[in-house]
Amino acid sequence: KIKVFVSGRPSNYVNITLLPPSWKIYAALIGLVIIILFLISLYMILRGLIKKHQESDMKSRGGVKRPSIVYFFELMLTDRATNTYSLSKFQAFVWTIAAIGSYAYVIISQGLLLRNGKIPDFNPTLVVLMSISYGGLIAANGLGAKKPKNEIKAKPPELSNLFCEGGNVDLSRLQLFGFTIVSIGAYIYNLALGNPLQGLPDIPPTLLGLMGV
């Protein structure tokens, strides 16, 4: 505790917290552990479906077994009607992981340091972006049921499915894939540079509009 003097007049005692330079690293590591535990929980919940997918894949590949984590991400990101990776699922999934991790990072930082008993506010622009991502996922599922984006494939999904359609590169899908990667990278970079005690970083309205288009 330090007693503060204002213009030569004594004030009350105040608590001063001196933070080590690596305090944000520790908070980020805890946030990363939370993401890993979240993914492990999903894996444990989906074990039955993953095992069925693994057995079906081994039959089609002549008994060749791939790592279980591959089947987990295939189950999370593939369009089962065509057995291809879904761009809308990919976008919604990566933004979900980024939102959970960043919000946990802010909660941990403010909870451990400020200890004011308040839950940090969730960034409104991030809510809008999540709405865009999941709105696109719902719309893609509805349209895909009427007209699949790809033919049904017997072989395992490929990363090229994220921006290819019917064996050709789809520039609109490539644009969305590219801006999804860049925007998440920029979001995490600015989160690392910023002060988590001030909350989550804002997402520019123009970027929200571009992702919506």
Side-chain angles (χ1 to χ4, degrees):
K1 291 184 176 181
I2 296 178
K3 191 170 186 178
V4 179
F5 287 80
V6 180
S7 299
R9 302 178 63 182
S11 180
N12 60 324
Y13 283 95
V14 295
N15 289 322
I16 304 296
T17 302
L18 301 179
L19 301 176
S22 57
W23 70 273
K24 290 201 296 183
I25 297 178
Y26 295 141
L29 288 176
I30 297 175
L32 182 60
V33 169
I34 291 176
I35 294 177
I36 294 174
L37 291 176
F38 174 71
L39 292 175
I40 292 175
S41 300
L42 286 179
Y43 180 87
M44 298 301 294
I45 293 172
L46 299 173
R47 277 186 305 175
L49 293 176
I50 292 173
K51 186 176 181 180
K52 290 181 181 179
H53 180 46
Q54 186 178 27
E55 293 174 351
S56 175
D57 182 68
M58 288 178 62
K59 290 180 181 179
S60 63
R61 296 170 65 91
V64 178
K65 183 179 180 180
R66 294 182 295 166
S68 298
I69 191 68
V70 175
Y71 297 107
F72 169 72
F73 283 107
E74 284 187 0
L75 188 64
M76 295 296 298
L77 302 178
T78 52
D79 178 6
R80 304 309 301 169
T82 59
N83 196 34
T84 58
Y85 283 121
S86 168
L87 178 59
S88 55
K89 284 187 176 182
F90 170 79
Q91 185 191 34
F93 181 75
V94 294
W95 270 116
T96 298
I97 297 300
I100 292 174
S102 60
Y103 191 55
Y105 170 58
V106 170
I107 288 178
I108 292 166
S109 300
Q110 295 191 11
L112 292 178
L113 301 177
L114 299 182
R115 299 183 182 182
N116 53 11
K118 295 181 179 179
I119 298 177
D121 192 12
F122 201 81
N123 196 310
T125 57
L126 190 56
V127 174
V128 174
L129 182 60
M130 295 295 292
S131 301
I132 292 173
S133 296
Y134 281 95
L137 176 59
I138 294 171
N141 288 336
L143 293 173
K146 297 179 180 179
K147 183 180 179 182
K149 66 179 179 63
N150 281 311
E151 65 278 6
I152 298 176
K153 294 186 177 182
K155 62 181 181 179
E158 301 173 348
L159 290 177
S160 60
N161 301 147
L162 295 175
F163 48 83
C164 289
E165 182 177 1
N168 297 314
V169 176
D170 187 327
L171 293 182
S172 61
R173 295 171 60 80
L174 179 61
Q175 182 190 53
L176 180 57
F177 175 76
F179 273 103
T180 298
I181 299 298
V182 171
S183 58
I184 287 180
Y187 177 80
I188 295 176
Y189 178 74
N190 283 278
L191 179 68
L193 289 182
N195 185 359
L197 301 182
Q198 297 177 352
L200 296 167
D202 283 321
I203 299 176
T206 51
L207 180 58
L208 290 175
L210 181 63
M211 298 295 285
V213 172

